[in-house]
Amino acid sequence: MVRGVFLTASSALSILLALPALAGDQSAVGSKATRPGGSWTGFYLGTYAGAGLVDSLWGPGTNMLSGGANQPFPFSGPSAGALIGGQLGYNYQIGAFVIGAEGDLGTGTLYGTARCGHNWYSVCNSDTDLLATLTGRVAYAFDNVLLYGKAGAAFINSSYSASGSDYAGQLSGAAFRTGWTVGAGVEAPLTPQMSVKAEYAYLDFGTSNLTLQNGLHTSVVAVSTSAQMVKLGLNWRPGGPPLPGSGNPLPTPGRDWSGFYLGVHAGGAWGRDDWSSPTGFLADASRYGSFPGGANPMGLLGGGQMGFNLQSGPWVVGIEASASAADIDAYAKCGAGNSKALDDPTGRTCHDSVAALGSIAGRVGQSWGDLLVYGKAGGAFVNSSGDVFDMERLARYTQSGTRWGWMLGSGVEYAVSQNISAFMEYDYYDFGTQSLTYSGWGKSAGASFRQRLDAVRMGLNYRFTAGGAESAGPAKVPGLPMGWTAEIGARYFASTGRMQKDLYGGSPSELKSRLIYANTTGQSAETFFRFENKDGLFLKGFAGLGGLSGGGLNDEDFPPSSGPYSNTYSELKDGSLAYGALDMGYDFLRQGGTTLGAFVGYRGFFQEVNGFGCHQLTSTGEVCDREAIAHAPGDGVNLGLSETESWQGVALGLNARLRLSDRLRLEVDAAYLPYVTKASADNHWAKPENNPEEERGNGWGTQLEAVLSYEVNDRLSVGLGARYWYFKTDTASTVFPGGLRQAMTFYSERYGAFAQASYLFGDLPPKADGSNHYKTPDAPANWSGLYVGGTLGGGKGHSTYVSPFATPVSGDAVDLGGAMAGGQIGADWQIGALVVGAEASAAWANVVGTNTCFSTAPEGRYAGFNCGSDVNALGTVTARLGYAVDKVLLYARGGFAWDQQTDLFNTYRFTKNVNTHDSINTGWTGGFGLEYALMPDLSVGLEYKHFDFGASSSFFTSAPSSVVGVNLAPDGLRLDMVAMTLNYRFASLAMQ
């Protein structure tokens, strides 16, 4: 679904970039205090782009898909992706209330996979190509903002398929189903006839019996389906009164776009690869089911373009050639059945890597002031190489070449000066279905390959000529609808992260396997925006897409009955990363460019991590040999293990923008995600019987972000920032073929720094001194007095263990992460610019992690124990020393710290329980921060604290004998936490 979020946010940026031209010239923000006239009454039609998630629960079926004893309940297969569609409706306004009716219809690429059928040996797929609703709407108009709810009927059309080892051929079918929907959204006017909206909807289609057949067999299976949609759209009202606060009609063209231009661009792409119709050895290996090859490519691109425009009145026509270097690839299971095919027990993997992408297209657009809105269409080419991996013999069969297809796109371009313009563009590429031949090792095979790509590009153009007198002079920045402003920009995000999953056996306490994908280096490009009105309502969001490389995978197995403890290592590369956010909130405090607000929002996070090769690290264990990917000639080349995960959740948070000086601003975002869902797939590429293995769960998360920006001028800003994500499941599970559902725990974190640039659209807010910049206060605030406040934040931790046994290849240390929220009370005393004070704090915490300890203990095949900690409370008593600069207090702190934590040590195989030990530990803390005086009695801040608690109190176990008498508690625990603070001061800050 996060790919759809990226499209949604990108579409949002295109819409927001178009707002200045669409709205026409307006009065200064806040210059009109009267309630805007106009009405929401009338018919409307429109379009939207968004993200969809269709969740299918596959229950027991008949014949080929019969449940059997090992299928106690359904298994879920989510299908997620981008949506595009349209809506038609009617509103009628009575005072501030608006009632209406609306129908919408959308389509997209929503693919999903789940285990199903007898003993879970079948793989079931769903492909949804239609989602529609027919609803009533009830709304309330706040000034020129419409908040609405909706409810009614829902419709879905999907196709389904299943293939497995117990039968030949693929079972398939399709169904059109009805259900119900509820949703809510916000809508705001752009022009007298146009408005923009953001909306969330939940759709439920109940349970239906679907018939799947292949000419030889017929099966009926019960499938329960629900869906979620996040949409951003435009509505057009061809008649009726002007919308409230919509301003003047569209401006006449103010710039001539004629002439040659040359430019550069960067962006990202995602899409769908499908292999079908195998020949040769690929057909021989696909005895069971169809040719199962489908993947979702993703990656970055960058390059240049050149073109020519000719303008007549408001219309602009032109031609453009564009070429990009790219790093876009994906892997798919192919050339093997869904279980252990008799003639090929190892399976194969198909891979396609795009190295270059380009187009030659015609453009048609319309100029509104200094902004050009355009569409484009033409021919497209892609240069790529592909591989088929033979996992058993490490054979590689390759092909490469250039394929041609077609493209459609649309975008917006804005003149930032007489010769330079910035643009943002969405393009769809379709290269059709073409025959590929893979050759190597003295033989060849063929397959049909279809590729579709969606791309978002941002860039700059330099125009060598500018025609007409209207082009003279600098570009004019048009206004937004009355009372609205928009900040729009781009970022480069460099990050690192860790993804971990623990798999349990017959008991939820018996650890069976652990995989840690660590130190994955990420490079991604982002777009972001913030759209706000004078009354305090804001809509903000960001979307990013990139790649992952570097790092390593430790795969540990703890066999319950046979085989020794095993620890293997694989190299990580060719991964992908995508993420997005959309928040709606309200600033309850605004003062001279400084704001403090709260928001509710959505977070989506997707990553795919690929492990290559297999190196056996422990002296015992034969996992690499057993999975046939360790032999020397190709070791480290072939793909062995992958994890593809998607997290989605609701975010509740605070946002503060603090003006530190006339040009310097700090923005802080702190969010807690009380409920997130996780959908993931594990690919053991050499094991077709459980490739892919679907995993589902739910839990919680946190996100922290801060950016320090400098205003180059009143509209252009540059900045540096940092971000931290953390997700964890409370409940999660998977089902292996032929087995029962098994419990799992997932951890995922990513953190890093970014550089950004942004542009402010709309009239500038009035300044206190009437100048072109904010006035810095003449005297500092007085920080003396008592205060109480709250804290919201999170961070990382690390604990270590002392083992009396031989040094292990990994483990005996645990990485932790999580969130905290609490309060503080303190007092400050100011002497000139110096501020001294003391503070006591206490916070709820949920900072957790697990890893392997004592894996070299002499327990044979039972070696390796699970250890970890859960820090559930933190407290401090500290002194702080600060220096006051205007409204800003910069400070350092240090002192006493305590925590309450639960340490665990898993000896379930021997004692049938998990040893847990609760303790309160003491230590020290040190850190620094910044606090900003919002009002005479209110301040907000950002701070970092380091905690060191040393060793936890000891605890022991009575079994097994090898660890009797060994201290099972960590001998050290360190935390690094970042938080946003809000303090109320009983003694006035006395801003002078």
PDB file of all heavy atoms in Angstrom, residues 92 121 157 159 171 223 230 282 380 410 452 642 734 740 775 824 829 885 957 968:
ATOM      1  N   TYR A  92     -25.945  19.930  -0.959  1.00  0.00           N
ATOM      2  CA  TYR A  92     -26.937  20.970  -0.674  1.00  0.00           C
ATOM      3  C   TYR A  92     -26.617  21.545   0.705  1.00  0.00           C
ATOM      4  O   TYR A  92     -26.531  20.807   1.693  1.00  0.00           O
ATOM      5  CB  TYR A  92     -28.354  20.400  -0.680  1.00  0.00           C
ATOM      6  CG  TYR A  92     -29.415  21.464  -0.473  1.00  0.00           C
ATOM      7  CD1 TYR A  92     -29.747  22.348  -1.491  1.00  0.00           C
ATOM      8  CD2 TYR A  92     -30.059  21.582   0.750  1.00  0.00           C
ATOM      9  CE1 TYR A  92     -30.714  23.328  -1.306  1.00  0.00           C
ATOM     10  CE2 TYR A  92     -31.033  22.558   0.957  1.00  0.00           C
ATOM     11  CZ  TYR A  92     -31.345  23.442  -0.074  1.00  0.00           C
ATOM     12  OH  TYR A  92     -32.294  24.412   0.101  1.00  0.00           O
ATOM     13  N   TYR A 121      -0.550 -26.192   1.307  1.00  0.00           N
ATOM     14  CA  TYR A 121       0.406 -26.404   0.231  1.00  0.00           C
ATOM     15  C   TYR A 121       0.084 -25.570  -1.008  1.00  0.00           C
ATOM     16  O   TYR A 121       0.913 -25.450  -1.902  1.00  0.00           O
ATOM     17  CB  TYR A 121       0.460 -27.889  -0.164  1.00  0.00           C
ATOM     18  CG  TYR A 121       1.400 -28.682   0.703  1.00  0.00           C
ATOM     19  CD1 TYR A 121       0.946 -29.735   1.477  1.00  0.00           C
ATOM     20  CD2 TYR A 121       2.758 -28.385   0.728  1.00  0.00           C
ATOM     21  CE1 TYR A 121       1.811 -30.462   2.273  1.00  0.00           C
ATOM     22  CE2 TYR A 121       3.633 -29.106   1.518  1.00  0.00           C
ATOM     23  CZ  TYR A 121       3.155 -30.152   2.291  1.00  0.00           C
ATOM     24  OH  TYR A 121       4.023 -30.850   3.078  1.00  0.00           O
ATOM     25  N   ASN A 157     -14.529  -5.809  -7.650  1.00  0.00           N
ATOM     26  CA  ASN A 157     -14.385  -6.854  -8.663  1.00  0.00           C
ATOM     27  C   ASN A 157     -12.959  -7.381  -8.604  1.00  0.00           C
ATOM     28  O   ASN A 157     -11.992  -6.611  -8.721  1.00  0.00           O
ATOM     29  CB  ASN A 157     -14.666  -6.309 -10.065  1.00  0.00           C
ATOM     30  CG  ASN A 157     -14.744  -7.424 -11.099  1.00  0.00           C
ATOM     31  OD1 ASN A 157     -15.708  -8.167 -11.140  1.00  0.00           O
ATOM     32  ND2 ASN A 157     -13.721  -7.539 -11.930  1.00  0.00           N
ATOM     33  N   SER A 159     -10.235 -10.986  -9.422  1.00  0.00           N
ATOM     34  CA  SER A 159      -9.978 -12.316  -9.960  1.00  0.00           C
ATOM     35  C   SER A 159      -9.088 -13.070  -8.977  1.00  0.00           C
ATOM     36  O   SER A 159      -8.295 -12.463  -8.252  1.00  0.00           O
ATOM     37  CB  SER A 159      -9.302 -12.226 -11.328  1.00  0.00           C
ATOM     38  OG  SER A 159      -8.100 -11.488 -11.262  1.00  0.00           O
ATOM     39  N   LEU A 171      -5.991 -23.242 -10.800  1.00  0.00           N
ATOM     40  CA  LEU A 171      -7.404 -22.970 -10.598  1.00  0.00           C
ATOM     41  C   LEU A 171      -7.623 -21.461 -10.652  1.00  0.00           C
ATOM     42  O   LEU A 171      -6.843 -20.698 -10.084  1.00  0.00           O
ATOM     43  CB  LEU A 171      -7.869 -23.495  -9.246  1.00  0.00           C
ATOM     44  CG  LEU A 171      -7.684 -24.997  -8.978  1.00  0.00           C
ATOM     45  CD1 LEU A 171      -7.982 -25.316  -7.521  1.00  0.00           C
ATOM     46  CD2 LEU A 171      -8.580 -25.816  -9.895  1.00  0.00           C
ATOM     47  N   VAL A 223     -14.035 -16.891   1.049  1.00  0.00           N
ATOM     48  CA  VAL A 223     -13.094 -15.784   1.143  1.00  0.00           C
ATOM     49  C   VAL A 223     -13.805 -14.583   1.759  1.00  0.00           C
ATOM     50  O   VAL A 223     -14.858 -14.162   1.287  1.00  0.00           O
ATOM     51  CB  VAL A 223     -12.526 -15.397  -0.237  1.00  0.00           C
ATOM     52  CG1 VAL A 223     -11.600 -14.186  -0.114  1.00  0.00           C
ATOM     53  CG2 VAL A 223     -11.781 -16.566  -0.858  1.00  0.00           C
ATOM     54  N   VAL A 230      -7.079   5.386   0.871  1.00  0.00           N
ATOM     55  CA  VAL A 230      -6.645   6.741   1.200  1.00  0.00           C
ATOM     56  C   VAL A 230      -6.560   7.494  -0.121  1.00  0.00           C
ATOM     57  O   VAL A 230      -5.833   7.071  -1.031  1.00  0.00           O
ATOM     58  CB  VAL A 230      -5.283   6.754   1.918  1.00  0.00           C
ATOM     59  CG1 VAL A 230      -4.840   8.170   2.207  1.00  0.00           C
ATOM     60  CG2 VAL A 230      -5.356   5.941   3.206  1.00  0.00           C
ATOM     61  N   LEU A 282      12.410 -24.107 -18.268  1.00  0.00           N
ATOM     62  CA  LEU A 282      11.490 -23.408 -17.378  1.00  0.00           C
ATOM     63  C   LEU A 282      10.113 -24.056 -17.404  1.00  0.00           C
ATOM     64  O   LEU A 282       9.429 -24.146 -16.385  1.00  0.00           O
ATOM     65  CB  LEU A 282      11.394 -21.933 -17.762  1.00  0.00           C
ATOM     66  CG  LEU A 282      12.640 -21.089 -17.488  1.00  0.00           C
ATOM     67  CD1 LEU A 282      12.433 -19.672 -17.977  1.00  0.00           C
ATOM     68  CD2 LEU A 282      12.984 -21.094 -16.007  1.00  0.00           C
ATOM     69  N   ALA A 380       8.337   5.059 -25.493  1.00  0.00           N
ATOM     70  CA  ALA A 380       9.237   4.887 -24.355  1.00  0.00           C
ATOM     71  C   ALA A 380      10.144   3.701 -24.588  1.00  0.00           C
ATOM     72  O   ALA A 380       9.811   2.777 -25.349  1.00  0.00           O
ATOM     73  CB  ALA A 380       8.442   4.697 -23.071  1.00  0.00           C
ATOM     74  N   SER A 410       1.628  13.374 -16.795  1.00  0.00           N
ATOM     75  CA  SER A 410       1.129  14.720 -16.550  1.00  0.00           C
ATOM     76  C   SER A 410       2.013  15.375 -15.497  1.00  0.00           C
ATOM     77  O   SER A 410       2.666  14.691 -14.705  1.00  0.00           O
ATOM     78  CB  SER A 410      -0.326  14.698 -16.070  1.00  0.00           C
ATOM     79  OG  SER A 410      -0.429  14.029 -14.837  1.00  0.00           O
ATOM     80  N   ARG A 452       5.389  -2.992 -16.406  1.00  0.00           N
ATOM     81  CA  ARG A 452       4.742  -1.684 -16.293  1.00  0.00           C
ATOM     82  C   ARG A 452       5.417  -0.923 -15.161  1.00  0.00           C
ATOM     83  O   ARG A 452       5.714  -1.486 -14.117  1.00  0.00           O
ATOM     84  CB  ARG A 452       3.255  -1.849 -15.989  1.00  0.00           C
ATOM     85  CG  ARG A 452       2.439  -2.409 -17.140  1.00  0.00           C
ATOM     86  CD  ARG A 452       1.185  -3.111 -16.662  1.00  0.00           C
ATOM     87  NE  ARG A 452       1.503  -4.383 -16.015  1.00  0.00           N
ATOM     88  CZ  ARG A 452       0.600  -5.138 -15.426  1.00  0.00           C
ATOM     89  NH1 ARG A 452      -0.650  -4.760 -15.355  1.00  0.00           N
ATOM     90  NH2 ARG A 452       0.962  -6.282 -14.867  1.00  0.00           N
ATOM     91  N   SER A 642      15.073 -13.536   1.442  1.00  0.00           N
ATOM     92  CA  SER A 642      14.535 -12.172   1.333  1.00  0.00           C
ATOM     93  C   SER A 642      13.421 -11.992   2.343  1.00  0.00           C
ATOM     94  O   SER A 642      12.751 -12.955   2.733  1.00  0.00           O
ATOM     95  CB  SER A 642      13.974 -11.894  -0.068  1.00  0.00           C
ATOM     96  OG  SER A 642      14.968 -11.965  -1.046  1.00  0.00           O
ATOM     97  N   THR A 734       2.583 -17.024  11.317  1.00  0.00           N
ATOM     98  CA  THR A 734       2.696 -17.544   9.962  1.00  0.00           C
ATOM     99  C   THR A 734       2.274 -19.002   9.977  1.00  0.00           C
ATOM    100  O   THR A 734       2.114 -19.604  11.053  1.00  0.00           O
ATOM    101  CB  THR A 734       4.135 -17.407   9.432  1.00  0.00           C
ATOM    102  OG1 THR A 734       4.157 -17.738   8.046  1.00  0.00           O
ATOM    103  CG2 THR A 734       5.088 -18.337  10.175  1.00  0.00           C
ATOM    104  N   LEU A 740       0.846 -26.135  11.537  1.00  0.00           N
ATOM    105  CA  LEU A 740      -0.092 -25.265  12.215  1.00  0.00           C
ATOM    106  C   LEU A 740       0.459 -23.842  12.255  1.00  0.00           C
ATOM    107  O   LEU A 740       1.640 -23.603  11.984  1.00  0.00           O
ATOM    108  CB  LEU A 740      -0.344 -25.773  13.635  1.00  0.00           C
ATOM    109  CG  LEU A 740      -1.058 -27.128  13.757  1.00  0.00           C
ATOM    110  CD1 LEU A 740      -1.035 -27.587  15.216  1.00  0.00           C
ATOM    111  CD2 LEU A 740      -2.488 -27.023  13.260  1.00  0.00           C
ATOM    112  N   LYS A 775      11.060  39.979  12.837  1.00  0.00           N
ATOM    113  CA  LYS A 775      11.866  40.794  13.753  1.00  0.00           C
ATOM    114  C   LYS A 775      12.262  39.951  14.958  1.00  0.00           C
ATOM    115  O   LYS A 775      11.440  39.284  15.567  1.00  0.00           O
ATOM    116  CB  LYS A 775      11.061  42.022  14.215  1.00  0.00           C
ATOM    117  CG  LYS A 775      11.884  43.000  15.064  1.00  0.00           C
ATOM    118  CD  LYS A 775      11.026  44.188  15.438  1.00  0.00           C
ATOM    119  CE  LYS A 775      11.851  45.235  16.167  1.00  0.00           C
ATOM    120  NZ  LYS A 775      12.470  44.725  17.365  1.00  0.00           N
ATOM    121  N   GLN A 824       7.396  16.009  33.714  1.00  0.00           N
ATOM    122  CA  GLN A 824       8.512  16.541  34.480  1.00  0.00           C
ATOM    123  C   GLN A 824       8.063  17.750  35.303  1.00  0.00           C
ATOM    124  O   GLN A 824       7.066  18.404  34.984  1.00  0.00           O
ATOM    125  CB  GLN A 824       9.675  16.943  33.561  1.00  0.00           C
ATOM    126  CG  GLN A 824       9.385  18.011  32.541  1.00  0.00           C
ATOM    127  CD  GLN A 824       8.824  17.461  31.238  1.00  0.00           C
ATOM    128  OE1 GLN A 824       8.818  16.254  31.016  1.00  0.00           O
ATOM    129  NE2 GLN A 824       8.307  18.335  30.392  1.00  0.00           N
ATOM    130  N   TRP A 829      16.500  29.314  37.485  1.00  0.00           N
ATOM    131  CA  TRP A 829      16.873  30.632  38.023  1.00  0.00           C
ATOM    132  C   TRP A 829      17.826  31.261  37.020  1.00  0.00           C
ATOM    133  O   TRP A 829      18.859  30.690  36.672  1.00  0.00           O
ATOM    134  CB  TRP A 829      17.549  30.478  39.392  1.00  0.00           C
ATOM    135  CG  TRP A 829      17.911  31.809  40.022  1.00  0.00           C
ATOM    136  CD1 TRP A 829      17.230  32.979  39.941  1.00  0.00           C
ATOM    137  CD2 TRP A 829      19.072  32.069  40.812  1.00  0.00           C
ATOM    138  NE1 TRP A 829      17.867  33.969  40.632  1.00  0.00           N
ATOM    139  CE2 TRP A 829      19.013  33.437  41.187  1.00  0.00           C
ATOM    140  CE3 TRP A 829      20.143  31.294  41.269  1.00  0.00           C
ATOM    141  CZ2 TRP A 829      19.981  34.050  41.979  1.00  0.00           C
ATOM    142  CZ3 TRP A 829      21.099  31.901  42.065  1.00  0.00           C
ATOM    143  CH2 TRP A 829      21.016  33.266  42.414  1.00  0.00           C
ATOM    144  N   VAL A 885      19.207  32.886  24.689  1.00  0.00           N
ATOM    145  CA  VAL A 885      19.392  33.756  23.529  1.00  0.00           C
ATOM    146  C   VAL A 885      18.013  34.105  22.995  1.00  0.00           C
ATOM    147  O   VAL A 885      17.327  33.247  22.431  1.00  0.00           O
ATOM    148  CB  VAL A 885      20.241  33.078  22.434  1.00  0.00           C
ATOM    149  CG1 VAL A 885      20.480  34.043  21.276  1.00  0.00           C
ATOM    150  CG2 VAL A 885      21.549  32.579  22.990  1.00  0.00           C
ATOM    151  N   THR A 957      18.939 -19.733  36.917  1.00  0.00           N
ATOM    152  CA  THR A 957      18.015 -20.805  36.570  1.00  0.00           C
ATOM    153  C   THR A 957      18.536 -22.120  37.122  1.00  0.00           C
ATOM    154  O   THR A 957      19.740 -22.256  37.372  1.00  0.00           O
ATOM    155  CB  THR A 957      17.832 -20.897  35.041  1.00  0.00           C
ATOM    156  OG1 THR A 957      16.864 -21.902  34.726  1.00  0.00           O
ATOM    157  CG2 THR A 957      19.151 -21.261  34.359  1.00  0.00           C
ATOM    158  N   LEU A 968      22.142 -14.553  34.532  1.00  0.00           N
ATOM    159  CA  LEU A 968      21.404 -14.412  33.282  1.00  0.00           C
ATOM    160  C   LEU A 968      21.012 -12.976  32.985  1.00  0.00           C
ATOM    161  O   LEU A 968      20.402 -12.708  31.947  1.00  0.00           O
ATOM    162  CB  LEU A 968      20.144 -15.284  33.323  1.00  0.00           C
ATOM    163  CG  LEU A 968      20.369 -16.765  33.673  1.00  0.00           C
ATOM    164  CD1 LEU A 968      19.048 -17.512  33.651  1.00  0.00           C
ATOM    165  CD2 LEU A 968      21.380 -17.406  32.736  1.00  0.00           C
TER     166      LEU A 968
END
